[in-house]
């Protein structure tokens, strides 16, 4: 007997838990998805409220997290069709929000799983407008303990109630009750970083939609540090400094700056700008270097880079954004233009006087001024007080009258004033580092602040005097001879050391030049990008006959900018390695940094830099990060020079940890005769085979050779010293077939 019919899938409730664990691995990721849902619902504001979250974890606790937004909300049928449906395709078929035209960020219905992962109970309340003066509110309770494995997900009831009214306020309230895990300060910080980019997008106009006022995230979490306030304001306060300005009724401009390592500074310009009465502004400066942030726990380098993508000083009139000021490509203050033309000198007399008073070179202060994208800020105009501003007929910008020119002038002067104190900050940091380095050197060497030759003479005299007092020198010729030999050895060593120190002093003196050069490189990058943008802006008005040529020029400028940027990254390798703690590092990760830094040379000379044989799991022994970079940079630089001199094309790095840490660097360049394998590790030994620099000069010419650097003969000496001080060894070894040289490093 046969039975023929159809079968239907059923869903075990365990699916909710399993999907929650797999799709949402961290609490802060789970909560950030719920905040994204508020953004997708066209909310202007969302509040995240933590109640005893740090005490969560046990089955019976009163911990709770609330997410409250003022978005469009959901009607009962939408709750039923979308919220209560797993893996709904609603956001796939509706990728753009209905009111502001936002690109929706949430996906896969992760919000449901996030709720289940975070807490043991969820209470949902939402209100939506369903008609003229008609609102519908729906409340649903989810008790996740009812979703037991083995039960059918579609048959578990969730208690709800719904009602309609003539008045109401749209939005969503999620109460995550009885948290499954306790929240740490680190979890809380990660949540803030995850969501800050939503709050930075302050205002947008999208064709066919109502103007987006932005998305403000408010935090109410007194149990955590930085747990209260507006998220965007917190991150603006985390950079190097925040500038606040206010123009009083009589036209007086009052400035306040709160900056890292300089405290709070106040200033009042002698100029009067009566056309700007009622104008106020706040501007945050977020430099590239993380060590210059006031709150490095909140503002990581990656977060800062993303913030800078939305950088710029925006303008608001009576609370409404005026476009296009302050967009990613709208440098209405002309800051990048000044940077591109290398404007260095202060031009405003009061600022010149201030710089001189602070012992700064007023002709070079503006070399440190920020880029447009490094500033995040807002200018607020009160039209009743500042009644000289006129909005253009098409609502796109302000009429360029006297008030507008005054506004540009005073904001730029204020930023220049801030730059003066940034220069003070940079000088203080440099002096602190110099003093710390000197103290460490003196302490580790047990030296007095005395000339080294006099110090040695004094030591010899003490030794000789002690021996004479004991009557040993006259009675024992062998002892006398030994002392004299010791004197000769010490004096010879001092002479050699002085020669090395002379070279080291010369190298050290290039530090300030390298700083200026690195700054010039950054300026060149800005200039190239600015010129490329300017050329592209001209294209609509250029005949098609010349467009392709201009596009090619713009692309060439961007390519040059990219190469300079890679060069700048190489300079940053050592400035980033400042820790004095010895640690173990993943070798491949550091090699990738070096490879990226040398990319401009590798590409130019078509060199194959192969690190594919280095396993991502190989770690170095404990070593200072700066020491590791010194080893890698010196070895790779030598290989690159050998390749260019010998028309070679390949560098390969291999590593293993079977019998201690072993690394080999091979190249097919000019090679080195075996008789010089030990000599090159002696200080001041430069190219003993006379193969590299003579051939480099022929291939490249003196100008290009100077760009590569002729070397001081100290590189391999430094490498050897570092490796031996860490209990290891370094040596040239016989290369395998196909390679000209091989340097082998061993560390225990």
């Amino acid at each position: 007997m046969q039975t023929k019919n159809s079968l239907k899938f059923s869903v075990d409730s365990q699916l909710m838990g399993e999907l929650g664990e797999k799709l949402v691995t961290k609490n802060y990721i789970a909560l950030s998805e719920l905040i994204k849902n508020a953004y997708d619902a066209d909310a202007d504001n969302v509040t995240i409220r933590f109640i005893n979250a740090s005490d969560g974890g046990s089955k019976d606790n009163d911990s709770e997290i609330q997410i409250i937004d003022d978005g469009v909300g959901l009607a009962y049928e939408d709750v039923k069709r979308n919220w209560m449906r797993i893996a709904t395709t609603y956001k796939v078929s509706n990728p753009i929000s209905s009111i502001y035209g936002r690109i929706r960020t949430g996906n896969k219905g992760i919000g449901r799983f996030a709720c289940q992962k975070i807490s043991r109970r969820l209470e949902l309340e939402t209100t939506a407008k369903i008609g003229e003066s008609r609102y519908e509110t729906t409340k649903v309770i989810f008790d996740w303990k009812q979703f037991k494995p083995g039960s059918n997900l579609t048959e578990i009831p969730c208690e709800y109630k719904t009602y309609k009214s003539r008045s109401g306020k749209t939005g969503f309230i999620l109460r995550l009750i009885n948290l499954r895990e306790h929240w740490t300060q680190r979890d809380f910080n990660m949540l803030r970083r995850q969501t800050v980019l939503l709050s930075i997008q302050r205002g947008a106009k999208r064709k066919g939609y109502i103007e987006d006022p932005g998305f403000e995230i408010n935090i109410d979490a007194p149990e955590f540090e930085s747990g209260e306030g507006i998220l965007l304001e917190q991150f603006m306060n985390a950079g190097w400094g925040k500038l606040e300005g206010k123009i009083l009724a009589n036209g007086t401009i009052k400035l306040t700056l709160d900056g890292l390592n300089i405290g709070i500074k106040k200033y009042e310009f002698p100029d009067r700008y009566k056309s700007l009465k009622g104008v106020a502004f706040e501007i945050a400066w977020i430099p590239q270097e993380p060590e210059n942030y006031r709150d490095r726990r909140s503002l990581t380098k990656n977060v800062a880079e993303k913030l800078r993508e939305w950088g710029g000083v925006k303008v608001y009139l009576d609370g409404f954004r005026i476009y296009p000021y302050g967009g990613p490509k709208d440098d209405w203050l002309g800051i990048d233009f000044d940077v591109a033309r290398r404007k260095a000198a202060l031009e405003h007399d009061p600022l010149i006087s201030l710089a001189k008073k602070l012992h700064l070179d007023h002709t070079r202060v503006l070399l440190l001024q920020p880029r447009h994208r490094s500033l995040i800020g807002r200018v607020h105009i009160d039209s009743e007080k500042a009644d000289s501003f006129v909005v253009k007929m098409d609502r796109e910008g302000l009429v360029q009258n006297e008030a507008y020119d005054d506004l540009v002038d005073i904001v730029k002067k204020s930023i220049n004033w801030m730059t003066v104190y940034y220069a003070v900050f940079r000088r203080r940091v440099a002096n602190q580092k110099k003093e710390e380095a000197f103290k460490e050197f003196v302490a580790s060497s047990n030296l007095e602040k005395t000339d080294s030759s006099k110090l040695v003479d004094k030591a010899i005299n003490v030794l000789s005097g002690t021996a004479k007092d004991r009557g040993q020198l006259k009675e024992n010729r062998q002892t006398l001879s030994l002392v004299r030999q010791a004197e000769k050895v010490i004096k010879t060593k001092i002479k050699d050391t002085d020669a090395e120190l002379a070279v080291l002093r010369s190298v050290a003196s290039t530090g300030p030049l390298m700083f200026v050069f690195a700054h010039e490189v950054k300026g060149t990058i800005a200039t190239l990008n600015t010129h490329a943008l300017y050329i592209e802006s001209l294209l609509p008005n250029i005949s098609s006959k010349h467009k392709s040529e201009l596009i090619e020029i713009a692309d060439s400028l961007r390519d040059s900018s990219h190469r300079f940027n890679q060069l700048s990254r190489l300079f940053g390798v050592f400035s980033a390695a400042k820790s004095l703690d010895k640690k173990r590092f993943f070798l491949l990760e550091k090699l990738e940094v070096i490879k990226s830094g040398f990319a401009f040379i590798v590409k130019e000379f078509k060199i194959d830099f192969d690190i594919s044989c280095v396993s991502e799991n190989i770690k170095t022994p404990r070593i200072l990060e700066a020491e590791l970079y010194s080893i890698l940079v010196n070895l790779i630089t030598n290989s690159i020079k050998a390749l260019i001199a010998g028309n070679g094309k390949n560098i390969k790095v291999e590593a293993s940890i079977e019998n201690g840490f072993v690394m080999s660097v091979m190249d097919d360049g000019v090679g080195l005769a075996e008789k010089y394998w030990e000599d090159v590790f002696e200080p001041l030994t430069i190219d003993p085979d006379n193969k590299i620099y003579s051939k480099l000069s022929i291939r490249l010419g003196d100008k290009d050779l100077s760009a590569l650097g002729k070397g001081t003969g100290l590189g391999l000496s430094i490498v050897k010293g570092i490796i031996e001080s860490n209990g290891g060894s370094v040596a040239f070894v016989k290369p395998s077939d196909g390679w000209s040289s091989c340097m082998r490093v061993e560390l225990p």
Side-chain angles (χ1 to χ4, degrees):
M1 181 177 177
Q2 293 184 349
T3 300
K4 187 176 181 181
N5 208 325
S6 60
L7 294 172
K8 297 180 180 179
F9 279 105
S10 62
V11 181
D12 195 294
S13 62
Q14 186 176 359
L15 177 69
M16 290 287 285
E18 290 189 356
L19 287 178
E21 292 296 327
K22 289 181 173 60
L23 291 176
V24 189
T25 56
K26 302 290 184 182
N27 274 336
Y28 58 83
I29 295 176
L31 198 56
S32 69
E33 286 297 325
L34 299 177
I35 297 169
K36 288 178 183 178
N37 285 346
Y39 176 83
D40 295 345
D42 284 323
D44 298 347
N45 299 274
V46 65
T47 297
I48 307 121
R49 181 170 294 129
F50 286 75
I51 303 171
N52 300 324
S54 56
D55 296 331
S58 64
K59 291 185 177 180
D60 300 309
N61 65 72
D62 57 355
S63 58
E64 181 177 344
I65 299 176
Q66 299 174 3
I67 301 113
I68 305 165
D69 72 61
D70 58 359
V72 294
L74 293 177
Y76 167 73
E77 286 298 325
D78 292 322
V79 173
K80 182 179 178 181
R81 287 195 307 265
N82 297 319
W83 180 269
M84 299 298 295
R85 184 175 178 82
I86 304 300
T88 176
T89 60
Y90 177 75
K91 289 186 180 179
V92 176
S93 56
N94 298 276
I96 307 297
S97 67
S98 59
I99 297 178
Y100 299 142
R102 294 172 178 170
I103 297 175
R104 289 195 162 108
T105 58
N107 54 48
K108 300 178 182 177
I110 287 179
R112 279 53 124 215
F113 310 127
C115 293
Q116 192 272 343
K117 175 178 175 56
I118 293 174
S119 66
R120 296 179 175 85
R121 179 182 175 89
L122 167 67
E123 293 185 6
L124 175 159
E125 180 177 338
T126 179
T127 300
K129 190 173 183 179
I130 58 174
E132 189 64 32
S133 298
R134 295 184 63 211
Y135 295 84
E136 186 173 56
T137 299
T138 304
K139 298 181 180 180
V140 187
I141 296 175
F142 300 84
D143 188 352
W144 299 117
K145 68 184 178 185
Q146 294 184 14
F147 291 70
K148 299 177 181 178
S151 57
N152 193 332
L153 181 64
T154 61
E155 295 179 359
I156 298 174
C158 296
E159 180 183 336
Y160 81 94
K161 64 179 179 180
T162 182
Y163 60 88
K164 298 175 182 178
S165 59
R166 290 286 182 181
S167 62
K169 183 179 179 181
T170 65
F172 226 93
I173 301 175
L174 288 174
R175 294 184 61 202
L176 302 157
I177 302 170
N178 193 348
L179 304 180
R180 295 183 186 274
E181 298 177 14
H182 73 277
W183 279 66
T184 65
Q185 182 68 49
R186 181 178 182 276
D187 294 331
F188 181 74
N189 290 342
M190 292 299 292
L191 171 67
R192 293 167 66 242
R193 294 175 200 160
Q194 285 273 331
T195 55
V196 66
L197 289 186
L198 293 177
S199 67
I200 195 67
Q201 302 175 42
R202 302 291 296 175
K205 291 178 72 173
R206 304 177 183 98
K207 189 174 181 180
Y209 296 92
I210 295 174
E211 181 179 333
D212 187 347
F215 184 63
E216 192 163 278
I217 300 176
N218 301 279
I219 301 174
D220 181 7
E223 60 192 290
F224 297 110
E225 186 178 343
S226 301
E228 295 179 283
I230 299 171
L231 186 61
L232 177 59
E233 295 293 334
Q234 292 181 354
F235 277 85
M236 286 182 69
N237 289 325
W240 170 75
K242 183 178 178 182
L243 169 69
E244 294 182 339
K246 185 177 182 180
I247 294 87
L248 306 182
N250 64 354
T252 300
I253 301 101
K254 289 186 176 291
L255 300 178
T256 302
L257 172 65
D258 186 359
L260 175 65
N261 205 14
I262 64 166
I264 295 177
K265 301 295 180 182
K266 296 181 182 291
Y267 188 73
E268 182 177 314
F269 278 108
D271 313 76
R272 296 291 182 267
Y273 291 81
K274 291 188 177 181
S275 64
L276 301 181
K277 59 183 179 181
V279 171
F281 53 86
E282 62 264 358
I283 301 171
W285 185 345
I286 302 180
Q288 288 188 329
E289 304 84 1
E291 62 266 26
N292 294 342
Y293 303 157
R294 285 181 290 172
D295 182 0
R296 294 178 63 180
R297 289 176 300 178
S298 298
L299 192 60
T300 64
K301 188 172 183 178
N302 289 336
V303 171
E305 185 61 31
K306 292 175 182 176
L307 286 176
R308 283 192 291 268
E309 292 177 10
W310 294 89
V313 180
K314 299 172 174 61
V315 178
Y316 293 81
L317 179 64
D318 297 330
F320 292 94
R321 172 89 182 273
I322 301 295
Y323 295 89
Y325 307 116
K329 296 183 179 180
D330 184 78
D331 180 23
W332 65 284
L333 294 169
I335 295 172
D336 282 352
F337 178 74
D338 289 342
V339 172
R341 65 190 179 101
R342 309 299 295 125
K343 182 179 178 181
L346 294 166
E347 298 174 350
H348 194 45
D349 287 339
L351 293 183
I352 293 173
S353 300
L354 175 64
K356 289 180 178 179
K357 181 180 177 182
L358 295 170
H359 306 290
L360 298 171
D361 183 353
H362 70 277
T363 66
R364 299 185 62 80
V365 166
L366 293 185
L367 289 174
L368 294 172
Q369 69 179 318
R371 294 282 308 280
H372 160 72
R373 65 192 301 266
S374 295
L375 299 175
I376 298 174
R378 297 177 292 234
V379 174
H380 305 277
I381 302 173
D382 184 338
S383 63
E384 289 188 8
K385 296 177 181 178
D387 54 9
S388 300
F389 289 94
V390 180
V391 180
K392 291 181 179 179
M393 293 294 292
D394 60 2
R395 309 297 295 176
E396 290 293 324
L398 298 168
V399 174
Q400 194 166 335
N401 56 15
E402 182 181 353
Y404 176 85
D405 291 340
D406 284 348
L407 179 65
V408 173
D409 185 50
I410 192 56
V411 174
K412 286 188 69 172
K413 284 178 180 175
S414 300
I415 293 171
N416 288 346
W417 174 74
M418 177 166 58
T419 304
V420 169
Y421 278 102
Y422 184 70
V424 172
F425 158 75
R426 291 288 293 265
R427 184 179 63 192
R428 286 181 180 176
V429 170
N431 289 338
Q432 288 170 359
K433 290 179 180 178
K434 186 165 59 177
E435 185 64 25
E436 289 170 4
F438 178 75
K439 288 179 179 178
E440 289 172 6
F441 178 73
V442 171
S444 62
S445 305
N446 291 318
L447 293 175
E448 297 178 6
K449 297 179 182 179
T450 314
D451 180 77
S452 60
S453 61
K454 292 181 179 179
L455 188 63
V456 171
D457 287 338
K458 181 180 178 181
I460 292 173
N461 290 336
V462 169
L463 289 173
S464 299
T466 302
K468 286 178 181 178
D469 289 343
R470 294 177 182 177
Q472 294 178 355
L473 289 181
K474 291 182 178 180
E475 296 176 5
N476 192 328
R477 291 185 177 182
Q478 185 177 359
T479 303
L480 179 61
S481 174
L482 186 62
V483 169
R484 287 175 176 171
Q485 289 177 14
E487 288 179 1
K488 184 178 180 180
V489 169
I490 292 174
K491 288 182 178 180
T492 302
K493 185 64 177 176
I494 288 295
K495 184 178 180 181
D496 292 341
T497 302
D498 284 343
E500 292 182 37
L501 285 174
V503 177
L504 288 172
R505 289 189 190 103
S506 299
V507 172
S509 68
T510 64
L513 294 176
M514 288 299 292
F515 170 80
V516 174
F517 181 68
H519 191 84
E520 290 290 329
V521 168
K522 292 180 180 179
T524 300
I525 294 170
T527 302
L528 292 170
N529 286 327
T530 300
H531 290 341
L533 282 171
Y534 181 70
I535 290 173
E536 290 169 348
S537 70
L538 296 176
L539 292 178
N541 302 318
I542 302 296
S543 63
S544 57
K545 177 182 176 182
H546 301 291
K547 273 189 178 180
S548 60
E549 295 177 13
L550 289 174
I551 291 172
E552 186 176 345
I553 292 172
D555 290 342
S556 176
L557 290 172
R558 292 193 186 283
D559 182 63
S560 297
S561 171
H562 177 67
R563 292 178 61 189
F564 274 114
N565 193 46
Q566 289 174 320
L567 177 64
S568 180
R569 289 183 63 186
L570 185 58
F571 292 153
V573 162
F574 285 97
S575 64
K578 295 179 179 177
S579 173
L580 295 177
D581 294 327
K582 291 191 174 185
K583 299 178 182 178
R584 299 185 66 196
F585 299 95
F586 287 104
L587 178 63
L588 183 59
E589 181 179 304
K590 299 304 178 185
L591 284 170
E592 287 172 342
V593 172
I594 301 297
K595 184 174 181 180
S596 175
F598 280 115
F600 66 104
I601 294 178
V602 169
K603 182 180 179 182
E604 176 72 18
F605 295 98
K606 298 181 175 58
I607 295 171
D608 181 16
F609 190 167
D610 183 10
I611 56 176
S612 61
C613 291
V614 179
S615 169
E616 62 182 12
N617 297 321
I618 290 181
K619 275 190 171 184
T620 67
R622 293 190 176 278
I623 190 171
L624 294 178
E625 188 177 16
E627 290 181 329
L628 177 59
Y629 274 133
S630 293
I631 294 169
L632 296 176
V633 168
N634 274 294
L635 297 187
I636 299 303
T637 301
N638 286 345
S639 288
I640 289 175
K641 291 177 182 178
L643 289 175
I644 298 173
N647 293 308
K649 296 296 180 185
N650 300 287
I651 299 175
K652 186 174 184 179
V653 181
E654 295 180 345
S656 65
I657 50 174
E658 294 178 359
N659 297 306
F661 175 85
V662 178
M663 179 181 71
S664 299
V665 179
M666 299 167 283
D667 67 71
D668 58 355
V670 294
L672 180 67
E674 187 171 351
K675 62 181 179 179
Y676 297 121
W677 282 4
E678 294 184 9
D679 293 350
V680 292
F681 290 99
E682 291 297 318
L684 309 179
T685 302
I686 304 174
D687 192 16
D689 241 351
N690 197 29
K691 288 182 177 180
I692 293 181
Y693 293 109
S694 60
K695 293 184 178 180
L696 280 177
S697 297
I698 295 172
R699 286 203 64 193
L700 306 177
D702 290 337
K703 184 176 181 180
D704 287 330
L705 177 58
S706 65
L708 279 173
K710 188 172 181 178
T712 60
L714 291 175
L716 290 180
S717 173
I718 291 171
V719 168
K720 183 178 181 181
I722 291 172
I723 292 172
E724 289 182 349
S725 69
N726 283 278
S729 63
V730 57
F732 276 94
V733 297
K734 186 176 180 179
S736 56
D737 292 341
W739 300 101
S740 302
S741 68
C742 178
M743 184 81 78
R744 181 182 174 91
V745 175
E746 296 183 9
L747 287 167

